[in-house]
Amino acid sequence: MARVYGIDPGTCTLKIYQKGTGIIYNQKNALAMIDGERIIATGDAAWEMEGRTPANIEVLYPVRSGVLAQVKNMLAQLNIVFDKIGEEHERLNGQDFLVASPSYATEVEKKALVDLINACDIKPRRIRVVDSPIAAALGAGVLLRECYGAMVVDIGADTTEIAVLSLGGTVASRMLNFGGYRLDESIINSVRLYYNFAIGRKTAEQIKIALGTAIHPEEGEVITKKVFGRDVVSGLPGSIAVDSLFVYLAIKDHIEKITEVILNLLLHIPPEMSADIMESGIILTGGVAGIKGLDKVISDLTGLKVHKCDNGSETVALGLGKIAEDPDYDFLAEQYSMLKIED
Ligand SMILES: Nc1ncnc2c1ncn2[C@@H]1O[C@H](COP(=O)(O)OP(=O)(O)OP(=O)(O)O)[C@@H](O)[C@H]1O
Ligand SMILES: [Mg+2]
């Protein structure tokens, strides 16, 4: 019998689920290329090189805004990753694949994902596409078959997808074309403006994860982190201390934008579904769900309970896993190309 793998190719992280085992891969969706032709690192190892490379090495990100942007690079990366994990886990050759796609992706973009997996060296048996919000809801534990109303807020690196689901389908959705990366950019810009100090993307992400908060920190609650970079005036390397109040102010507008769109979508759901959503609440997921207090801010604003996923980055892949493990959810996966199936 074919094994099943679930793939969530995010803008920031690539996650792979193996049926019967769980998440077997979760690393940065990045590769480092030398002289524009040879890959020298993938995943977290490539991300480690970000901002530190000589002119002939480039760190590349094959997925942009949740959709495939560099097909050749993504294919090369997947072949390396499949090769690596294929040695530890039984071979991936000739297996079934479920691949997550943002719900707003066009049919052509979804088909491109299928073609991508199909072109990999592992020669897949069958490839099917699942809409990310559906997978996220399943991954968060929603019993989609019985559920008449659930709201999913998935804040990833470059996209924020907000969807209202019912009985395994999408009733209404909104997409914002920003996520965690935009928060990093704002931190970089604020640090430059207020401290005359330049920091890189990796440092900004570390600041966001360590100090990011959606709630104004009270006096006495403010935490501080020492970070390294370059003094813009002297041009010399140095360090500064950044605190959580500063980060709160730097990212505040983006958090407000997200909550505004959640409210707006709630205003447009069919009245019959309001009671269901009141009962099931909002699922907050994606890596950025980890921002301190974000669940409380959304809950206070909407009056709904918010279920924050523990490791939001993996929720979609866990949902693909649910479909792989439970035949009752099989109908949620869509077949885009009929491949020759040999048993
Ligand atoms: N604890 C945390 N607090 C805040 N942000 C976090 C935390 N952990 C991860 N992130 C951020 O979450 C983002 C990655 O989330 P995720 O893995 O869900 O994105 P993705 O699926 O790759 O992107 P997309 O869905 O936009 O294509 C990054 O911007 C990362 O910095
Ligand atoms: Mg994602």
Side-chain angles (χ1 to χ4, degrees), residues 126-141:
R126 186 167 61 152
I127 309 151
R128 289 178 300 156
V129 177
V130 180
D131 277 353
S132 295
I134 304 260
L138 282 176

Side-chain angles (χ1 to χ4, degrees), residues 42 70 76 79 102 114 118 121 129 131 142 146 148 168 183 193 201 226 230 242 247 255 259 268 272 299 304 324:
T42 57
Q70 302 168 0
N79 277 332
V114 173
N118 201 24
D121 297 341
V129 177
D131 277 353
V142 177
E146 300 147 27
Y148 281 107
L183 308 188
L193 198 67
R201 284 180 67 185
K226 183 179 173 183
R230 184 170 48 83
V242 180
V247 178
I255 303 289
T259 51
H268 288 90
E272 290 292 358
S299 175
L304 299 172

Side-chain angles (χ1 to χ4, degrees), residues 244-304:
S244 50
L245 176 58
F246 179 85
V247 178
Y248 163 77
L249 294 169
I251 65 175
K252 184 170 157 281
D253 288 353
H254 305 309
I255 303 289
E256 272 172 18
K257 181 74 200 161
I258 292 170
T259 51
E260 209 176 275
V261 176
I262 296 172
L263 273 179
N264 181 277
L265 185 57
L266 283 171
L267 297 178
H268 288 90
I269 55 168
E272 290 292 358
M273 284 184 70
S274 301
D276 304 312
I277 293 196
M278 293 273 298
E279 202 184 308
S280 60
I282 297 174
I283 292 141
L284 178 61
T285 188
V288 180
I291 291 278
K292 193 175 163 219
L294 184 55
D295 48 342
K296 183 169 170 10
V297 167
I298 297 172
S299 175
D300 288 352
L301 213 72
T302 58
L304 299 172

Side-chain angles (χ1 to χ4, degrees), residues 8 10 15 154 156 159 316:
D8 177 16
K15 299 73 109 174
D154 179 348
T159 60
V316 168

Side-chain angles (χ1 to χ4, degrees), residues 87-151:
E87 276 171 26
E88 292 164 33
H89 302 269
E90 294 144 274
R91 302 288 324 159
L92 278 82
N93 287 350
Q95 308 301 335
D96 279 3
F97 287 81
L98 296 166
V99 56
S101 160
S103 54
Y104 54 83
T106 62
E107 295 296 296
V108 173
E109 285 164 341
K110 289 181 184 179
K111 177 74 168 57
L113 269 181
V114 173
D115 291 343
L116 170 82
I117 311 284
N118 201 24
C120 288
D121 297 341
I122 50 169
K123 302 278 170 282
R125 191 183 85 129
R126 186 167 61 152
I127 309 151
R128 289 178 300 156
V129 177
V130 180
D131 277 353
S132 295
I134 304 260
L138 282 176
V142 177
L143 301 171
L144 268 186
R145 246 172 305 132
E146 300 147 27
C147 174
Y148 281 107
M151 187 177 211

Side-chain angles (χ1 to χ4, degrees), residues 10 16 30-31 41 57 59 67 77 85 87 94 99 145 156 177 186 196 204 207 225 255 277 290 299 314 317 332 338:
I16 303 179
L31 60 143
I57 298 179
V59 181
V67 296
Q77 183 185 213
I85 60 178
E87 276 171 26
V99 56
R145 246 172 305 132
N177 60 352
S186 290
N196 268 324
I207 293 174
K225 182 177 167 64
I255 303 289
I277 293 196
S299 175
E314 294 187 343
L332 295 170
M338 277 309 294

